[in-house]
Amino acid sequence: MNTSSTPKPIVIITPTTESEVQAAVLCSKKIGVQIKIRSGGHDYEGISYISSDPDFIVLDMFNFRSIDVNIEDETAVVGAGAQLGEFYYRIYEKSKVHGFPAGVCPTVGIGGHLSGGGYGTMLRKYGLSVDQVIDARIVDVNGRVLDRKSMGDDLFWAIRGGGGASFGVILSYTVKLVRVPEVNTIFRIMKTVAENASELVYKWQSVMSTIDDDLFIRVLLQPVTVNRQRVGRASFIAHYLGDSDSLVTLMTKNFPELGLRKEDCVEGSWIDAVLYWANFDNTTAPEVLLDRQSDSNFGKRKSDYVQTPISVSGIRSIFSKLVELGRLGFVFNPYGGKMNEIAADATPMPHRAGNLFKIQYSIGWSVADPEIERDYLNQTRVMHDFMTPFVSKNPRGAFLNYRDLDIGVMTGNNYNQGKVYGEMYFMENFDRLVKIKTAVDPDNFFRNEQSIPTLPGKSSGKSRKMMK
């Protein structure tokens, strides 16, 4: 959020070369000023460009947005400051049968998205974005430029889902592209509570974890006005890696209650599906993905994981609560498929097998009004409390890329504070991240309000001497 009272950096540095990034790190370290690293896009809590420290600088990586797509070996090198839309377009330019499993919003920055464990509509087929990362370039606390080989297995593991900004400055990622069919199918079916939305969401929970990996159906739950009355509505939005005939056959067999018909389906290429999911109409040219401007509205996100199906009565109560609150909406993202096959400790992002779906709490507003802000933030917190019986426990899970400062903030380098949100984001992987952080950045130079802490008592002048 950017208002007149938002803390401002001393300076914003916009490097164009690796040596300028190195200089920025070494200089900031020497004078003892906090550095906030911003890649190319969204940041739900703004911690890449504001700070609780009075003196800080912003290192904005938006110039690092070169994208080199190599179709022959099915890889790409993508700068941390590139955005997803630009990346998708550069793939589309070279191939109609390749894609990349990442987010649906084209103005999200690659650096933050990949380092936090990004995902998209091919999650069930190909897993997370970080599952496709095969190399990276990073500037560490000593100003060295490291690749996968020189940084070592631990640091390479940490920056694939543990948040890059705790460990250094991500310069670029090398990723594997994935195969996509020439024909993809999308649909959107909307049902109100009066049209059995609660029963359909209940069935969706049991169907999606085991259905064909080529299918992803997101569900939006929100309060809407119908005939001047506020009611709950569920929107089922799909991306299927295949044609509409096989999709209708699949749905008729596994989820007939939704009543999918061929006329509900729209066929197109993978890039057409990308545009649809980014809310562009079907007359929009793919070049729109090169537009880096995003709507700078206000908003708040929270997250949860669901591991046991919510009953029909539970879903009805959720709809009632959403209608009562008035503005907040839910996004349910299905798991299963590939996510069941990858170990929880393969990357720092641990929320894999055992989760039926992930919830995003979503609210937005366009006017900088403190009263509206208070009301809307309160809605998210009230709903988060309300959902406690339905979601994961001990610890309750959260998703790093839906950054949420409500679940804990670290001041300075406080391990106990860091553990609170750290275990929600990373579960048992948190301890390994702390050990890696302590080894590569013992004085906690790279830090933010929700960074990885170092082990207690390990930050000292002695460790600085050892690094020289």
Side-chain angles (χ1 to χ4, degrees), residues 183-464:
V183 178
N184 293 244
T185 305
I186 43 137
F187 72 74
R188 181 189 299 254
I189 291 177
M190 295 185 282
K191 300 285 186 182
T192 63
V193 169
E195 297 168 313
N196 289 335
S198 301
E199 290 77 6
L200 290 170
V201 173
Y202 174 73
K203 180 68 187 278
W204 169 89
Q205 295 175 100
S206 60
V207 168
M208 282 311 301
S209 61
T210 55
I211 205 165
D212 193 304
D213 296 356
D214 288 333
L215 179 60
F216 180 90
I217 304 176
R218 168 179 280 183
V219 181
L220 308 184
L221 272 56
Q222 59 199 138
V224 295
T225 302
V226 177
N227 298 329
R228 289 183 293 187
Q229 207 175 0
R230 293 297 272 174
V231 298
R233 185 180 74 190
S235 303
F236 297 82
I237 311 164
H239 180 193
Y240 177 63
L241 298 166
D243 62 35
S244 57
D245 287 335
S246 59
L247 176 57
V248 171
T249 301
L250 179 67
M251 289 292 286
T252 302
K253 180 186 172 190
N254 291 280
F255 197 0
E257 297 85 348
L258 196 59
L260 181 70
R261 303 161 303 165
K262 190 171 166 70
E263 51 265 42
D264 298 319
C265 301
V266 179
E267 291 184 341
S269 64
W270 175 73
I271 207 74
D272 292 329
V274 166
L275 291 165
Y276 176 85
W277 275 79
N279 294 321
F280 294 109
D281 64 41
N282 59 8
T283 63
T284 308
E287 283 68 24
V288 73
L289 297 171
L290 298 174
D291 180 5
R292 290 174 59 89
Q293 298 304 308
S294 59
D295 298 330
S296 54
N297 288 342
F298 304 103
K300 175 69 179 177
R301 302 291 187 271
K302 297 176 85 65
S303 59
D304 262 313
Y305 289 89
V306 175
Q307 297 170 337
T308 53
I310 303 171
S311 67
V312 174
S313 61
I315 294 164
R316 286 195 189 120
S317 72
I318 290 168
F319 272 123
S320 297
K321 194 69 179 174
L322 290 173
V323 169
E324 176 197 319
L325 290 170
R327 179 78 179 190
L328 181 74
F330 270 164
V331 184
F332 287 2
N333 294 289
Y335 269 40
K338 187 74 173 174
M339 293 298 280
N340 284 343
E341 299 168 21
I342 300 171
D345 61 358
T347 69
M349 212 299 280
H351 308 289
R352 306 242 188 200
N355 292 294
L356 294 175
F357 59 98
K358 171 167 57 189
I359 302 176
Q360 182 190 70
Y361 300 63
S362 179
I363 198 164
W365 62 100
S366 53
V367 182
D369 183 325
E371 208 164 301
I372 291 175
E373 180 184 328
R374 262 193 308 275
D375 173 27
Y376 288 177
L377 292 180
N378 185 59
Q379 287 189 34
T380 67
R381 290 159 187 160
V382 168
M383 198 71 204
H384 193 258
D385 286 344
F386 180 84
M387 291 299 291
T388 304
F390 305 117
V391 299
S392 63
K393 298 166 181 62
N394 302 319
R396 185 173 183 167
F399 178 46
L400 181 64
N401 274 356
Y402 296 166
R403 182 80 72 178
D404 178 12
L405 295 183
D406 289 348
I407 66 173
V409 169
M410 183 169 67
T411 51
N413 182 36
N414 186 316
Y415 174 83
N416 290 326
Q417 288 177 336
K419 187 176 181 180
V420 174
Y421 58 80
E423 290 193 336
M424 292 178 75
Y425 289 140
F426 307 114
M427 306 304 229
E428 290 178 5
N429 293 335
F430 174 68
D431 286 339
R432 184 177 173 193
L433 286 168
V434 170
K435 285 173 186 163
I436 296 167
K437 168 71 172 179
T438 306
V440 302
D441 182 18
D443 293 308
N444 195 32
F445 171 70
F446 290 113
R447 66 189 186 279
N448 58 51
E449 286 72 8
Q450 278 193 345
S451 55
I452 303 294
T454 62
L455 285 166
K458 298 291 184 182
S459 177
S460 69
K462 194 164 95 176
S463 59
R464 272 195 292 269

